[in-house]
DNA sequence: TGACAAAGCGCACGATCGTTCGTATCGTTA
DNA sequence: TAACGATACGAACGATCGTGCGCTTTGTCA
């Protein structure tokens, strides 16, 4: 990794930490420069514009998510075990990356009504996320772990809901029982999608 | 309503519109002054600080939510009908108020890791929301519409998840079928909570 | 090791930020 | 209508915003 790439990675590290606690709108060149020990202009040169910086931060978050959630889940057996691995990884991927809230959700909420490159990047991430999740569900159906007539998109929709409710309960309310509630909701989802006995 | 109260209400109208599309961090004195035709200092005098303005905007959103969702739902018969009314009102309360996204969710995500008055106000709203929702569920249990041994808090958790997944699907993905997905998920929740036949 | 490109800094710019203050105009009530 | 408080404005402040430019330092490779 060249010097430039190294610095760029360090900047994005700081950017993710910042965005996860205070949102992407709080990502300013000045504060980020101070946080990384760079000069404003030096930092700026790595991205060319603030919007590019925000896009890069979203993409960095997506990359982290892939490393922390997707790739490890591939080691689980296909079918239900893999879906469970995805779910569990999803619950704590932010902590495991030293982040506060989920930067992806923050970006989604902040930019869902603001057209531009950032919104496009967020959309791309969630599109891919739903695809991968859908594929995992279909594999589970193929394995006979889930009902053959299961509404896959609905299952993905429901699973996203559980995650969002978890983030809400854990971050805003700081509830300890959030994980337990999320797991219970998830298991009920799985049970409802189980093949007829 | 005195002149001052009138102006203040107009400012908060504009603030909610702004916050619902671009987030609370985008609420600046300058843009809001231009939007309302006031001078910066004239607008500022109504709140005393930017943070107070943000708090007032959160409380205005909560008031709108009460008017648009809570109060109408009280007209429905207690029990399941009222819970359904709450759910349906919740789905479209932002549209009915001419807003883009849900300002309350935006505030929750933006401030969940930032201590201060704004976070406190958001927390108070969601606390009350959960209380009211929980009471409605208990009434439904009393009416025999839902299982007596239902985990009320879990039901509220699950319902919140459905709403968040709906917002995500509708606002970020702009999916037409988001409402249908949300209703399906909600009905499954109700079915799982139904009394043993 | 010398040369060339990559990386970073310092300084400056116009704009906007939140906030303060003195002054003018308005609304309300006696 | 006179008077007085409520409401709004204009101008200014120091700070910070994103961005551009020229220069120096550093890393990299022939």
């Amino acid at each position: 990794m060249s010097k430039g790439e190294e610095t760029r990675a360090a900047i994005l590290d700081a950017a993710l930490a910042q965005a996860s606690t205070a949102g992407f709108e709080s990502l300013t060149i000045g504060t980020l420069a101070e946080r990384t020990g760079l000069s404003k202009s030096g930092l700026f040169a790595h991205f060319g514009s603030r919007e590019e910086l925000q896009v890069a931060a979203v993409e960095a978050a997506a990359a982290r998510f892939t490393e922390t959630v997707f790739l490890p889940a591939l080691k689980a057996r296909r079918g239900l075990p893999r879906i469970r691995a995805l779910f569990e990884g999803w619950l704590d991927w932010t902590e495991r990356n030293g982040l506060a809230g989920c930067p992806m959700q923050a970006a989604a909420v902040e930019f869902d009504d603001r057209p531009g490159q950032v919104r496009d990047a967020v959309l791309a991430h969630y599109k891919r996320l739903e695809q991968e999740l859908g594929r995992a569900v279909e594999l589970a159906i193929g394995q006979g772990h889930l009902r053959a007539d299961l509404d896959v998109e609905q299952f993905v929709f429901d699973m996203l809901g559980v995650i969002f409710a978890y983030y809400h309960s854990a971050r805003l309310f700081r509830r300890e029982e959030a994980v337990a509630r999320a797991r219970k909701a998830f298991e009920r989802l799985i049970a409802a999608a189980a093949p007829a006995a």
Side-chain angles (χ1 to χ4, degrees), chain A:
Chain A
M1 188 154 60
S2 77
K3 182 75 196 315
E5 288 169 335
E6 222 166 84
T7 307
R8 192 185 149 101
I11 295 172
L12 291 178
D13 263 14
L16 281 189
Q18 167 94 12
S20 78
T21 67
F24 278 76
E25 199 55 42
S26 84
L27 281 187
T28 78
I29 310 281
T31 60
L32 218 46
E34 196 169 4
R35 208 187 250 258
T36 52
L38 287 173
S39 67
K40 272 177 43 170
S41 52
L43 187 145
F44 183 82
H46 281 273
F47 302 95
S49 78
R50 184 165 102 107
E51 192 176 15
E52 294 280 0
L53 163 65
Q54 289 174 322
V55 170
V58 168
E59 283 167 354
R64 295 272 191 95
F65 188 89
T66 297
E67 291 164 23
T68 321
V69 183
F70 278 141
L71 296 187
L74 285 181
K75 290 186 198 144
R77 276 166 292 127
R78 77 178 75 171
L80 217 38
R82 185 169 298 167
I83 296 181
R84 283 192 213 276
L86 283 170
F87 180 76
E88 288 295 327
W90 204 345
L91 286 182
D92 66 359
W93 83 277
T94 58
E95 294 171 44
R96 288 157 58 102
N97 281 280
L99 301 174
C102 173
M104 220 61 197
Q105 190 207 10
V109 172
E110 279 188 67
F111 290 93
D112 60 358
D113 285 300
R114 263 192 288 181
Q117 302 177 50
V118 183
R119 192 189 123 89
D120 294 345
V122 174
L123 198 54
H125 167 72
Y126 275 106
K127 213 170 256 173
R128 172 153 170 268
L129 174 53
E130 292 196 3
Q131 274 171 11
E132 300 283 347
L133 213 52
R135 261 171 43 90
V137 172
E138 272 157 14
L139 280 177
I141 294 174
Q143 295 287 308
H145 296 168
L146 296 179
R147 283 210 323 269
D149 64 338
L150 181 67
D151 184 339
V152 176
E153 287 184 25
Q154 182 76 38
F155 187 91
V156 171
F157 178 96
D158 293 342
M159 197 164 154
L160 265 167
V162 175
I163 296 288
F164 289 147
Y166 165 73
Y167 285 157
H168 183 79
S169 183
R171 306 294 332 160
L172 181 63
F173 278 98
R174 312 257 154 204
R175 291 197 176 119
E176 307 257 340
E177 68 267 29
V179 180
R181 294 246 102 101
R183 289 206 179 106
K184 196 170 166 187
F186 179 64
E187 288 305 327
R188 204 179 25 69
L189 266 186
I190 298 276

